[in-house]
Amino acid sequence: MGAKLVWCMKALHARGLITGSGGNASVRLGGGDEILITPSGVYKAELEESDLVRMGLDGKVLDGRWKPSSEWRMHTEIYRKRGDVNAVIHVHSPYTTGLTIAGRNIGPITPEVALILPEIEVLEYVCPGTEDLGRLVGSRIAGKRALILQNHGVVSAGRDLLEAMTAIEVLEEGAITTFVASLMGGAKVIPKEEVELIKRVYKR
Ligand SMILES: [Zn+2]
């Protein structure tokens, strides 16, 4: 579990979705009330399994030599509200965040975006690392695979790390595609009836 979390952070860093100091991720342990979360203040590309912090959903640190990520409240709130979620990833993906700062939405621009992220909600700006941000994310995560945080980044939730990672990747790809199309004259989305067809064809 820890090895996969470390791999995830290195992959996100290599792809430019986080900086060495930004972003965090966690996994739920054994489907229960404990999580393994990335630490605060450790360069993400250099992360090792022994750097990870084990903590309870009540905020109590159980094991680890570092402090948990400053965004631990966002993670614990999601796990508390969503019993189906076993992995949470938070990144500062530049295209997704940038488009949102400019007031641009990311619509169903490709079949993948239409299927994986049918509704993309942008939450109002709240100071990172606060209880208020944790509460806000927890109150809006129902039924969502990802939320965009205004002027900040993205948080995704999945049944496992790969599902959470996929949501981050698809959203960023959708943002880049939207950006490119906008530069070339306009980002036209897939018509509503075609979106419905995609959902039927790829029904899970
Ligand atoms: Zn952040």
Side-chain angles (χ1 to χ4, degrees):
M1 202 65 104
K4 202 129 199 187
L5 198 52
V6 168
W7 165 83
C8 163
M9 296 313 282
K10 289 185 176 176
L12 290 168
H13 184 263
R15 295 200 46 195
L17 294 166
I18 56 170
T19 61
S21 58
N24 37 74
S26 65
V27 286
R28 195 200 292 264
L29 295 170
D33 292 339
E34 288 182 15
I35 61 169
L36 208 53
I37 189 165
T38 50
S40 175
V42 178
Y43 195 82
K44 299 305 183 306
E46 298 287 312
L47 203 64
E48 291 178 14
E49 259 190 90
S50 58
D51 295 321
L52 300 173
V53 180
R54 187 165 64 91
M55 68 185 299
L57 293 188
D58 57 1
K60 209 167 149 192
V61 172
L62 303 167
D63 193 19
R65 55 188 167 129
W66 304 103
K67 278 193 203 165
S69 160
S70 60
E71 295 288 16
W72 64 265
R73 292 177 187 85
M74 195 156 74
H75 293 250
T76 55
E77 281 294 322
I78 292 174
Y79 290 116
R80 260 205 287 260
K81 294 279 161 52
R82 293 273 303 272
D84 60 318
V85 165
N86 293 306
V88 173
I89 301 177
H90 167 56
V91 298
H92 301 153
S93 34
Y95 282 91
T96 305
T97 311
L99 279 189
T100 312
I101 290 170
R104 292 291 301 267
N105 208 349
I106 302 158
I109 186 110
T110 64
E112 216 178 0
V113 174
L115 191 68
I116 293 173
L117 299 159
E119 289 164 47
I120 303 171
E121 192 179 350
V122 183
L123 303 191
E124 58 268 34
Y125 178 81
V126 173
C127 183
T130 60
E131 236 177 289
D132 285 349
L133 180 59
R135 263 198 300 268
L136 177 68
V137 168
S139 70
R140 308 272 274 276
I141 195 72
K144 299 273 166 53
R145 283 185 64 177
L147 291 168
I148 299 176
L149 314 175
Q150 181 73 49
N151 288 75
H152 183 178
V154 177
V155 61
S156 75
R159 282 171 293 186
D160 55 33
L161 261 180
L162 293 185
E163 195 175 84
M165 189 121 166
T166 299
I168 299 275
E169 289 176 343
V170 169
L171 189 51
E172 186 69 351
E173 189 179 90
I176 293 169
T177 309
T178 302
F179 176 67
V180 171
S182 302
L183 288 183
M184 305 294 174
K188 293 193 192 90
V189 297
I190 297 173
K192 213 168 170 202
E193 60 276 17
E194 287 293 327
V195 170
E196 292 309 315
L197 178 60
I198 292 164
K199 285 183 190 165
R200 283 204 301 278
V201 170
Y202 292 93
K203 202 173 164 201
R204 333 172 153 210

